């Protein structure tokens, strides 16, 4: 069992890594600053450095649960980064839009993200659990949590606050899940002030990575916990998909 000290240490370490990575990226941004800048909903220019900073911190912490868990979080962040950089001008939203494009022979960044995160999540579920049903549920939870945190990332600080709120109950669990929840929360807390001040944003990179880390924390629990979270996350994804379809229809 992991005690309060272990959770606090995981939180602090993840926060320190995320903050150090954020500072390093601002000092020497790969490919130049323009590549990492976006205009947010309020017309302000913000950077995307918080995303990879959180992804690195969360992946490192999740790897302490198991290599597959760390790789799943890192893969979620990498797929999100690809979408942030390659799909910056793509206004399509929702799984249906990207799958429709795929049927026409167009591989969108959103499709890459969908299949990449799903594959990594199922691989993590297979490594973390023993029984076939548990493996499937764990994969659904990791992928679903990654998607959910990205869904709520619509305003400054929303995704980070969601990670803190959703991760807090995980601190009460016994075992490695508590440590992984603490890691996700520490990384989110480290960049939240800058996010709220509209200096940076998590983007798909950070939202997917932090969500995947929360999913890994849940995947360490019992089957009942897995099943409840899987149903809730699938329901949230379906609801978001319906909303995206209505928006697309109203704009068409």
């Amino acid at each position: 069992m992991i005690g309060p000290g272990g959770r606090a240490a995981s939180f602090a370490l993840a926060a320190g890594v995320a903050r150090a990575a954020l500072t390093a990226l601002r000092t020497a941004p790969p490919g130049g600053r323009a590549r990492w800048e976006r205009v947010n909903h309020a017309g302000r220019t913000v950077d995307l450095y918080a995303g990879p900073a959180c992804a690195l911190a969360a992946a490192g912490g999740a790897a302490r649960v198991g290599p597959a868990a760390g790789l799943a979080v890192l893969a979620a962040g990498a797929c999100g980064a690809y979408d942030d950089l390659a799909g910056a001008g793509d206004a399509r939203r929702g799984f249906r839009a990207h799958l429709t494009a795929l049927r026409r022979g167009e591989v969108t960044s959103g499709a890459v993200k969908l299949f990449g995160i799903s594959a990594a999540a199922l691989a993590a579920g297979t490594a973390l659990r023993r029984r076939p049903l548990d493996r499937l549920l764990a994969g659904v939870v990791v992928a679903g949590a990654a998607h959910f945190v990205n869904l709520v990332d619509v305003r400054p600080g929303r995704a980070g606050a969601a990670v803190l709120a959703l991760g807090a109950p995980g601190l009460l669990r016994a075992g490695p899940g508590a440590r992984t929840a603490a890691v996700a929360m520490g990384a989110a807390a480290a960049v939240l002030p800058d996010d709220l001040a509209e200096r940076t944003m998590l983007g798909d990179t950070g939202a997917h990575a932090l969500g995947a880390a929360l999913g890994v924390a849940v995947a360490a629990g019992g089957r009942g916990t897995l099943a409840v979270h899987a149903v809730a996350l699938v329901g949230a994804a379906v609801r978001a998909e319906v909303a995206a379809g209505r928006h697309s229809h109203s704009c068409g």
Side-chain angles (χ1 to χ4, degrees), residues 56-214:
L56 289 172
R64 297 175 67 187
V65 174
L71 286 174
V73 174
L74 189 62
C79 290
Y82 179 74
D83 197 30
D84 279 337
L85 299 177
D90 193 343
R92 286 171 289 197
R93 294 292 180 271
F95 297 148
R96 186 181 305 173
H98 294 291
L99 292 175
T100 299
L102 188 61
R103 284 197 295 269
R104 295 197 301 261
E106 180 188 0
V107 181
T108 65
S109 59
V112 171
K113 183 174 68 172
L114 170 62
F115 290 109
I117 292 176
S118 298
L122 288 172
T126 299
L128 291 170
R129 309 294 300 210
R130 292 184 178 180
R131 297 182 178 180
L133 178 57
D134 292 346
R135 289 173 170 178
L136 176 61
L137 289 173
V140 170
V141 167
V142 173
H147 179 60
F148 180 78
V149 174
N150 191 50
L151 283 178
V152 301
D153 189 23
V154 293
R155 289 291 186 273
R158 289 277 182 91
V163 170
L164 293 176
L166 294 171
L171 298 179
L172 303 177
R173 300 189 187 102
R179 185 166 57 201
T180 312
V183 163
M185 293 174 67
V191 302
L192 186 57
D194 286 56
D195 194 351
L196 288 170
E198 299 185 58
R199 291 190 292 267
T200 192
M201 61 188 292
L202 287 171
D204 285 9
T205 309
H208 282 306
L210 291 174
L214 289 178

Side-chain angles (χ1 to χ4, degrees), residues 2-36:
I2 296 172
R7 293 189 287 268
S10 295
F11 183 101
L13 180 60
V17 170
R19 197 68 209 179
L22 179 63
T23 301
L25 286 167
R26 280 180 173 159
T27 303
R33 295 187 184 280
R35 190 176 189 182
W36 297 90

